[in-house]
Amino acid sequence: MFSLQDQEQLQKLMAENPDNQILINKLLDSHQYTLSKISHEIRNPLTMISSTLQLIEKQHPEVHEYSHWSDVQNDIAFMEKLLEDLSSYNNGSHIQKKQIHTSAFLNYTALSFASAYADSPIEFTSEIDQNLSDIQGDSIKLQQLFLNLLRNALEATSYHGKIHMTASQTSDHICITITDNGCGIPASLLPDIFTPFTTYKENGTGLGLAIAKSVVEAHNGSISVTSVPLEGTTFTVTLPIEKHRH
């Protein structure tokens, strides 16, 4: 799989020569097709195995007492999550742009997160400019992006943690930040945090932030992170405002 650095080099090559662009686009399309085919071929038998285990569990409840039964179930759940994330990463750059009413969209996203974790002791607050300009983007992938960043913040915080989401505007960009007061990330780990299959979480697939970067860059935006161990982390996403042409 191409690393993010590899993809940046490919973008430079494509910019240098139109023929390079045609050839590299064919290569990338072939790469994505192969990845999708492999994922699909693995998913089908895995689904059958999962269904068979569920049938065994229903017919023989005593299996719960068997050694390693829960480990098998957890391993299958992890593989299913890995395939799901792999598919999301593979398709992260394929977006369907439509006009998004940015303030309303971010209000809804913040409300969705707050509602989902209403019983959590974590304190969630948001500060969203209600007069943000509209943007062109894929609302489904962008909502998944922000909800994933918010869930990451939740996982990083302690029992009485705090998460704060802001959205503001410059002359040509929308800037969204998600800040937590959680465990933070050591400086030595930050350079690789968006690299595929890099994870520091137990049972993490290492694709979540790589997916986030792929989606943001498909919108011609950027994502960055700052963090202080034991103090907290801030992810910043910037998305361009498309100027009206006269």
Side-chain angles (χ1 to χ4, degrees), residues 28-162:
L28 291 174
D29 287 342
S30 174
H31 170 74
Q32 289 177 327
Y33 172 77
T34 301
L35 207 55
S36 294
K37 193 172 188 330
I38 292 172
S39 178
H40 178 74
E41 292 300 322
I42 294 174
R43 191 188 301 270
N44 284 340
L46 186 62
T47 299
M48 293 180 64
I49 293 170
S50 180
S51 298
T52 301
L53 289 177
Q54 290 176 15
L55 180 61
I56 292 172
E57 191 174 84
K58 184 176 180 179
Q59 295 178 345
H60 303 278
E62 67 274 13
V63 296
H64 287 287
E65 301 175 6
Y66 291 179
S67 177
H68 305 303
W69 178 261
S70 61
D71 292 338
V72 172
Q73 299 280 34
N74 291 336
D75 288 343
I76 289 176
F78 174 79
M79 291 176 66
E80 290 175 337
K81 179 67 168 62
L82 178 59
L83 289 172
E84 180 183 340
D85 284 356
L86 189 60
S87 177
S88 295
Y89 176 72
N90 193 41
N91 294 298
S93 60
H94 295 283
I95 60 174
Q96 297 182 359
K97 285 187 176 183
K98 294 182 180 179
Q99 186 174 21
I100 297 175
H101 302 301
T102 313
S103 295
F105 166 75
L106 292 174
N107 286 336
Y108 178 79
T109 300
L111 181 61
S112 295
F113 176 77
S115 299
Y117 298 97
D119 296 330
S120 169
I122 303 299
E123 178 184 330
F124 172 66
T125 56
S126 62
E127 188 177 351
I128 298 170
D129 186 334
Q130 297 304 301
N131 295 297
L132 297 173
S133 297
D134 293 351
I135 61 172
Q136 293 292 319
D138 189 316
S139 60
I140 294 176
K141 289 190 175 179
L142 285 175
Q143 185 176 49
Q144 291 173 341
L145 158 71
F146 291 121
L147 289 176
N148 283 339
L149 291 177
L150 286 166
R151 281 191 287 267
N152 283 349
L154 182 69
E155 293 173 0
T157 55
S158 61
Y159 186 76
H160 294 292
K162 296 181 180 180

Side-chain angles (χ1 to χ4, degrees), residues 21-22 30 69 116 118 135 140 161 178 204-205 208 215 220 234 239:
Q21 183 173 0
I22 294 172
S30 174
W69 178 261
I135 61 172
I140 294 176
I178 295 173
T205 63
V215 170
N220 299 315
T234 296
L239 298 170

Side-chain angles (χ1 to χ4, degrees), residues 197-241:
F197 300 111
T198 299
T199 183
Y200 308 106
K201 297 191 301 184
E202 185 179 358
N203 297 323
T205 63
L207 287 170
L209 291 177
I211 294 168
K213 187 173 179 67
S214 177
V215 170
V216 171
E217 291 183 344
H219 286 82
N220 299 315
S222 65
I223 182 171
S224 61
V225 58
T226 58
S227 189
V228 178
L230 304 180
E231 292 187 18
T233 301
T234 296
F235 281 91
T236 301
V237 174
T238 60
L239 298 170
I241 300 168

